[in-house]
């Protein structure tokens, strides 16, 4: 049995019109509650080893992950994780490291900053892992083969050059969007693990399931780690919300066309 994987996006920072921001108070309460309940986080290497072993390394082991790599994680999330003795893996959009989130629709009053290399290296030295969320956060299933290879390969190379081979071992597909063509490209690029959406594909190391934690998931134990009816319901809602993320991709495409048509 593969250990469960939680996926947060934003913790703290300015309010947004979307659903990915979790308040610092909620995040702190959840991390402390998980620690008290005996949960244990896995490093990316420990998770990879456990995937190949049918026996869980710990009855309450899980991978704690973050997508996008927003700078506010270093203020509101990482210190809490360290405080309770956990670790985490952050999937970085490598072309935007140290920059604002121009890749996204602006759901906040001002653009949001991403972690810079200095912060990434400092937290990596404290035992945190970093991996790929592609180069620009494009929806890979909508790209041609050359673009898919570029998104995956360029991101992996940037991480490899700066952080070493371990950082190039895993990729989280933007929007949880992947198919056989994308996973074959990920394997060709050198990734050993690929993280999909809520459903995933059982037994496929390049289509591993992750459960996102959205703004409404405020219980002490997030839905992705529960096996009761609330956990089942939470997974279904998270799956539907993840599917609705296609709207962001459509809006980005329309906005890109408008900007191109109005450019001088």
């Amino acid at each position: 049995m593969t250990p469960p994987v939680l996926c947060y996006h934003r913790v703290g920072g300015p309010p947004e019109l979307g659903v990915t921001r979790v308040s610092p108070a909620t995040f702190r309460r959840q991390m402390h509650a998980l620690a008290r309940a005996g949960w244990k986080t896995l490093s990316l290497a420990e998770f990879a080893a456990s995937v190949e072993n049918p026996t869980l390394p710990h009855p309450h082991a899980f991978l704690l992950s973050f997508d996008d790599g927003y700078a506010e994680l270093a203020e509101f999330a990482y210190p809490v994780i360290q405080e309770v003795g956990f670790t985490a893996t952050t999937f970085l959009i490598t072309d935007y490291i140290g920059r604002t989130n121009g890749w996204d629709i602006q759901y906040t009053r001002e653009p949001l900053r991403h972690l810079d290399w200095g912060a990434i290296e400092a937290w990596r030295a404290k035992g945190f892992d970093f991996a790929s969320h592609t180069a620009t956060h494009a929806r890979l299933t909508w790209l041609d083969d050359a673009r898919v290879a570029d998104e995956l390969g360029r991101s992996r190379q940037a991480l490899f050059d700066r952080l070493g081979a371990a950082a190039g071992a895993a990729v989280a597909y933007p929007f949880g969007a992947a198919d056989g063509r994308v996973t074959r490209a990920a394997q060709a690029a050198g990734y050993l693990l690929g993280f999909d959406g809520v459903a995933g594909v059982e037994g496929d190391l390049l289509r591993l399931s992750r459960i996102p934690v959205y703004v409404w998931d405020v219980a002490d134990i997030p839905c992705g780690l529960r096996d009761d009816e609330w956990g089942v319901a939470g997974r279904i809602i998270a799956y539907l919300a993840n599917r609705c993320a296609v709207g962001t991709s459509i809006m980005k495409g329309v906005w890109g066309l408008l900007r191109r048509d109005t450019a001088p």
Side-chain angles (χ1 to χ4, degrees):
M1 181 179 178
T2 303
V5 185
L6 288 186
C7 172
Y8 290 84
H9 291 78
R10 296 185 59 214
V11 177
E16 63 175 35
L17 294 177
V19 301
T20 63
R21 182 186 180 276
V22 174
S23 75
T26 295
F27 184 77
R28 170 177 286 277
R29 176 168 46 77
Q30 288 177 337
M31 292 302 105
H32 279 268
L34 289 170
R36 289 194 303 269
W39 286 89
K40 175 185 181 296
T41 54
L42 299 171
S43 68
L44 191 57
E46 290 171 333
F47 178 84
S50 72
V51 167
E52 299 184 7
N53 188 332
T55 303
L56 283 174
H58 183 279
H60 287 122
F62 74 106
L63 182 70
L64 174 60
S65 71
F66 296 89
D67 275 2
D68 307 330
Y70 286 112
E72 58 208 18
L73 295 177
E75 179 179 358
F76 298 112
Y78 294 166
V80 176
I81 293 167
Q82 187 179 47
E83 182 180 300
V84 299
F86 285 177
T87 188
T89 297
T90 301
F91 293 96
L92 302 167
I93 309 167
T94 52
D95 278 9
Y96 288 86
I97 290 173
R99 297 170 55 192
T100 57
N101 62 332
W103 58 270
D104 198 7
I105 299 296
Q106 190 169 313
Y107 292 110
T108 55
R109 182 182 294 272
E110 300 293 336
L112 301 170
R113 290 208 68 82
H114 289 280
L115 294 163
D116 58 29
W117 282 115
I120 291 165
E121 290 169 337
W123 284 99
R124 186 168 180 268
K126 297 177 182 180
F128 286 63
D129 290 318
F130 296 88
S132 170
H133 202 33
T134 73
T136 70
H137 205 282
R139 181 176 286 266
L140 298 179
T141 52
W142 290 6
L143 305 181
D144 61 33
D145 291 350
R147 282 283 311 281
V148 171
D150 177 67
E151 284 283 337
L152 293 167
R154 187 152 48 88
S155 179
R156 184 175 185 274
Q157 191 62 51
L159 292 164
F160 185 95
D161 290 345
R162 192 76 184 227
L163 303 178
V171 59
Y173 308 113
F175 308 105
D179 54 22
R181 181 176 66 96
V182 169
T183 59
R184 288 190 294 272
Q187 186 174 40
Y191 293 103
L192 304 177
L193 300 175
F195 292 89
D196 203 331
V198 176
V201 175
E202 185 67 30
D204 189 340
L205 300 186
L206 290 167
R207 298 286 301 272
L208 295 163
S209 170
R210 286 194 304 168
I211 311 299
V213 182
Y214 290 133
V215 63
W216 54 76
D217 196 351
V218 297
D220 285 356
I221 306 298
C223 291
L225 300 182
R226 299 171 68 111
D227 55 9
D228 58 10
E229 65 274 15
W230 295 109
V232 173
R235 286 177 176 85
I236 293 172
I237 294 170
Y239 172 80
L240 294 174
N242 194 231
R243 298 292 291 178
C244 289
V246 69
T248 296
S249 298
I250 294 171
M251 290 171 65
K252 286 171 60 181
V254 171
W255 178 243
L257 289 173
L258 291 173
R259 291 179 65 184
R260 187 179 66 186
D261 290 344
T262 58

